[in-house]
mmCIF file of all heavy atoms in Angstrom:
data_model
loop_
_atom_site.group_PDB
_atom_site.id
_atom_site.type_symbol
_atom_site.label_atom_id
_atom_site.label_comp_id
_atom_site.label_asym_id
_atom_site.label_seq_id
_atom_site.Cartn_x
_atom_site.Cartn_y
_atom_site.Cartn_z
ATOM 1 N N PHE A 8 -2.628 9.821 5.083
ATOM 2 C CA PHE A 8 -3.883 10.463 5.089
ATOM 3 C C PHE A 8 -4.781 9.900 6.249
ATOM 4 O O PHE A 8 -5.437 10.635 6.965
ATOM 5 C CB PHE A 8 -4.676 10.365 3.760
ATOM 6 C CG PHE A 8 -6.035 10.927 3.773
ATOM 7 C CD1 PHE A 8 -6.248 12.324 3.832
ATOM 8 C CD2 PHE A 8 -7.118 10.062 3.873
ATOM 9 C CE1 PHE A 8 -7.578 12.807 3.863
ATOM 10 C CE2 PHE A 8 -8.419 10.509 3.817
ATOM 11 C CZ PHE A 8 -8.609 11.962 3.870
ATOM 12 N N LEU A 9 -4.814 8.613 6.437
ATOM 13 C CA LEU A 9 -5.552 8.003 7.503
ATOM 14 C C LEU A 9 -4.980 8.335 8.865
ATOM 15 O O LEU A 9 -5.709 8.535 9.823
ATOM 16 C CB LEU A 9 -5.616 6.512 7.312
ATOM 17 C CG LEU A 9 -6.487 6.020 6.101
ATOM 18 C CD1 LEU A 9 -6.279 4.512 5.894
ATOM 19 C CD2 LEU A 9 -7.884 6.403 6.247
ATOM 20 N N LYS A 10 -3.745 8.426 8.973
ATOM 21 C CA LYS A 10 -3.059 8.796 10.278
ATOM 22 C C LYS A 10 -3.471 10.268 10.646
ATOM 23 O O LYS A 10 -3.674 10.586 11.771
ATOM 24 C CB LYS A 10 -1.603 8.693 10.224
ATOM 25 C CG LYS A 10 -1.050 7.295 10.315
ATOM 26 C CD LYS A 10 0.466 7.236 10.210
ATOM 27 C CE LYS A 10 0.939 5.793 10.237
ATOM 28 N NZ LYS A 10 2.446 5.722 10.160
ATOM 29 N N LEU A 11 -3.533 11.099 9.572
ATOM 30 C CA LEU A 11 -3.930 12.489 9.782
ATOM 31 C C LEU A 11 -5.383 12.514 10.254
ATOM 32 O O LEU A 11 -5.803 13.296 11.094
ATOM 33 C CB LEU A 11 -3.774 13.277 8.485
ATOM 34 C CG LEU A 11 -4.106 14.766 8.571
ATOM 35 C CD1 LEU A 11 -3.143 15.548 9.535
ATOM 36 C CD2 LEU A 11 -4.032 15.347 7.177
ATOM 37 N N ALA A 12 -6.243 11.614 9.611
ATOM 38 C CA ALA A 12 -7.672 11.567 10.016
ATOM 39 C C ALA A 12 -7.744 11.162 11.419
ATOM 40 O O ALA A 12 -8.638 11.650 12.215
ATOM 41 C CB ALA A 12 -8.361 10.537 9.053
ATOM 42 N N VAL A 13 -6.948 10.165 11.895
ATOM 43 C CA VAL A 13 -6.983 9.760 13.290
ATOM 44 C C VAL A 13 -6.620 10.923 14.218
ATOM 45 O O VAL A 13 -7.252 11.083 15.287
ATOM 46 C CB VAL A 13 -6.071 8.508 13.470
ATOM 47 C CG1 VAL A 13 -5.806 8.268 14.979
ATOM 48 C CG2 VAL A 13 -6.639 7.292 12.842
ATOM 49 N N PHE A 14 -5.651 11.680 13.800
ATOM 50 C CA PHE A 14 -5.262 12.785 14.578
ATOM 51 C C PHE A 14 -6.327 13.898 14.640
ATOM 52 O O PHE A 14 -6.672 14.403 15.707
ATOM 53 C CB PHE A 14 -4.012 13.445 14.052
ATOM 54 C CG PHE A 14 -3.531 14.724 14.757
ATOM 55 C CD1 PHE A 14 -2.973 14.616 15.995
ATOM 56 C CD2 PHE A 14 -3.728 15.940 14.185
ATOM 57 C CE1 PHE A 14 -2.553 15.829 16.728
ATOM 58 C CE2 PHE A 14 -3.333 17.038 14.791
ATOM 59 C CZ PHE A 14 -2.759 17.037 16.102
ATOM 60 N N LEU A 15 -6.969 14.083 13.507
ATOM 61 C CA LEU A 15 -8.104 15.053 13.460
ATOM 62 C C LEU A 15 -9.322 14.638 14.213
ATOM 63 O O LEU A 15 -10.138 15.455 14.693
ATOM 64 C CB LEU A 15 -8.422 15.391 12.012
ATOM 65 C CG LEU A 15 -7.359 16.196 11.229
ATOM 66 C CD1 LEU A 15 -7.734 16.372 9.797
ATOM 67 C CD2 LEU A 15 -7.133 17.587 11.926
ATOM 68 N N ILE A 16 -9.527 13.369 14.274
ATOM 69 C CA ILE A 16 -10.668 12.781 15.100
ATOM 70 C C ILE A 16 -10.402 13.034 16.573
ATOM 71 O O ILE A 16 -11.265 13.369 17.361
ATOM 72 C CB ILE A 16 -10.883 11.281 14.776
ATOM 73 C CG1 ILE A 16 -11.496 11.219 13.354
ATOM 74 C CG2 ILE A 16 -11.892 10.678 15.813
ATOM 75 C CD1 ILE A 16 -11.578 9.689 12.900
ATOM 76 N N GLY A 17 -9.187 12.837 16.978
ATOM 77 C CA GLY A 17 -8.819 12.918 18.388
ATOM 78 C C GLY A 17 -8.726 14.432 18.903
ATOM 79 O O GLY A 17 -8.954 14.623 20.075
ATOM 80 N N SER A 18 -8.374 15.329 17.992
ATOM 81 C CA SER A 18 -8.168 16.753 18.490
ATOM 82 C C SER A 18 -9.421 17.370 19.051
ATOM 83 O O SER A 18 -9.353 17.934 20.110
ATOM 84 C CB SER A 18 -7.642 17.499 17.252
ATOM 85 O OG SER A 18 -6.420 17.093 16.838
ATOM 86 N N PRO A 19 -10.606 17.253 18.433
ATOM 87 C CA PRO A 19 -11.836 17.893 19.048
ATOM 88 C C PRO A 19 -12.211 17.133 20.315
ATOM 89 O O PRO A 19 -12.747 17.877 21.264
ATOM 90 C CB PRO A 19 -12.937 17.780 17.997
ATOM 91 C CG PRO A 19 -12.318 17.135 16.759
ATOM 92 C CD PRO A 19 -10.875 16.828 17.075
ATOM 93 N N VAL A 20 -11.998 15.934 20.365
ATOM 94 C CA VAL A 20 -12.420 15.160 21.684
ATOM 95 C C VAL A 20 -11.506 15.650 22.775
ATOM 96 O O VAL A 20 -11.927 15.840 23.900
ATOM 97 C CB VAL A 20 -12.298 13.644 21.404
ATOM 98 C CG1 VAL A 20 -12.549 12.904 22.701
ATOM 99 C CG2 VAL A 20 -13.366 13.225 20.445
ATOM 100 N N LEU A 21 -10.240 15.846 22.536
ATOM 101 C CA LEU A 21 -9.245 16.338 23.443
ATOM 102 C C LEU A 21 -9.682 17.731 23.948
ATOM 103 O O LEU A 21 -9.698 18.072 25.129
ATOM 104 C CB LEU A 21 -7.886 16.318 22.956
ATOM 105 C CG LEU A 21 -6.767 16.777 23.921
ATOM 106 C CD1 LEU A 21 -6.698 15.881 25.113
ATOM 107 C CD2 LEU A 21 -5.475 16.906 23.217
ATOM 108 N N ALA A 22 -9.937 18.627 22.966
ATOM 109 C CA ALA A 22 -10.430 19.921 23.328
ATOM 110 C C ALA A 22 -11.711 19.976 24.100
ATOM 111 O O ALA A 22 -11.848 20.722 25.069
ATOM 112 C CB ALA A 22 -10.628 20.814 22.018
ATOM 113 N N LEU A 23 -12.665 19.131 23.752
ATOM 114 C CA LEU A 23 -13.905 19.021 24.432
ATOM 115 C C LEU A 23 -13.648 18.488 25.840
ATOM 116 O O LEU A 23 -14.309 18.960 26.847
ATOM 117 C CB LEU A 23 -14.882 18.144 23.732
ATOM 118 C CG LEU A 23 -16.246 18.057 24.253
ATOM 119 C CD1 LEU A 23 -16.964 19.422 24.110
ATOM 120 C CD2 LEU A 23 -17.107 17.013 23.475
#
Side-chain angles (χ1 to χ4, degrees):
F8 175 74
L9 291 174
K10 286 180 182 180
L11 181 66
V13 167
F14 176 75
L15 289 176
I16 289 169
S18 299
V20 174
L21 182 65
L23 188 64

